[in-house]
Amino acid sequence: MYTDKFVKLAWVLTFLGFLVALSFSYAFLPVQVGIQADADGNPDQLIDREMFFYLALGAFVFVNIICLVSFRMLNALPASSSVFYRSELFKDRIQNWFAAFTTVINIFLICTVSYISLFNNQGDYQIGQFNWVMWVGPLLFVGVLVWLVIILVSPKPINTEA
């Protein structure tokens, strides 16, 4: 029960976080946005600022709509059907996992937009100081996949609700 509320709150926060990150990024980006760098760290592939904004927003909306539709489809399947779910608890865990997966994708998109914004900002820092930002999403992705494996291989779901 609490996991469900926490995961949904996390999704809402990442949804709002992406919109904030994209808005701030757009406000401080130059007209031409570097999206790829050469060996020296100089941008060698550029796109317009508006194109970056709409591509990032489009990717975010697309991913979240696909995940929302998939989540609703999972929710519509009855827990009594032995074709997909083993129990009501298993159904809840799969739904929580899927919401967490969507949250992780949103975090990855937030990190990507933020990193590109930092890459294009003219501040007094080295972009290499922020390379760790690009590892946040993949590490969380691995964690959420491990969680899925644990859910799937668990022979009998343990009820952790008190």
Side-chain angles (χ1 to χ4, degrees):
M1 179 173 167
Y2 293 114
T3 306
D4 182 38
K5 290 179 181 180
F6 175 75
V7 170
K8 287 181 182 177
L9 176 65
W11 178 82
V12 169
L13 292 176
T14 58
F15 187 89
L16 296 174
F18 178 82
L19 296 177
V20 168
L22 185 61
S23 298
F24 277 117
S25 294
Y26 181 77
F28 296 109
L29 285 175
V31 175
Q32 291 292 311
V33 177
I35 56 170
Q36 189 173 6
D38 59 15
D40 297 326
N42 299 319
D44 66 351
Q45 197 171 45
L46 303 168
I47 62 173
D48 290 332
R49 180 170 71 168
E50 290 79 17
M51 176 68 77
F52 170 75
F53 177 82
Y54 288 117
L55 284 174
L57 186 62
F60 179 76
V61 168
F62 177 75
V63 165
N64 278 274
I65 286 176
I66 293 297
C67 288
L68 181 65
V69 167
S70 300
F71 183 79
R72 300 278 169 127
M73 288 172 40
L74 284 173
N75 195 28
L77 291 172
S80 60
S81 170
S82 62
V83 175
F84 191 73
Y85 296 122
R86 298 188 293 225
S87 67
E88 188 67 38
L89 180 62
F90 183 73
K91 179 179 179 178
D92 290 342
R93 288 183 175 179
I94 291 293
Q95 288 175 335
N96 286 337
W97 176 86
F98 201 80
F101 178 73
T102 307
T103 301
V104 167
I105 292 172
N106 288 347
I107 290 170
F108 177 74
L109 292 172
I110 290 168
C111 291
T112 302
V113 166
S114 299
Y115 187 80
I116 290 173
S117 177
L118 288 170
F119 177 67
N120 287 278
N121 197 331
Q122 286 82 27
D124 287 338
Y125 56 84
Q126 299 293 325
I127 190 63
Q129 295 171 332
F130 299 99
N131 285 343
W132 63 269
V133 170
M134 290 311 298
W135 286 97
V136 171
L139 289 175
L140 288 173
F141 183 72
V142 168
V144 84
L145 286 180
V146 167
W147 183 22
L148 176 63
V149 169
I150 291 170
I151 290 171
L152 293 177
V153 299
S154 173
K156 181 179 176 186
I158 301 167
N159 189 355
T160 58
E161 305 296 323

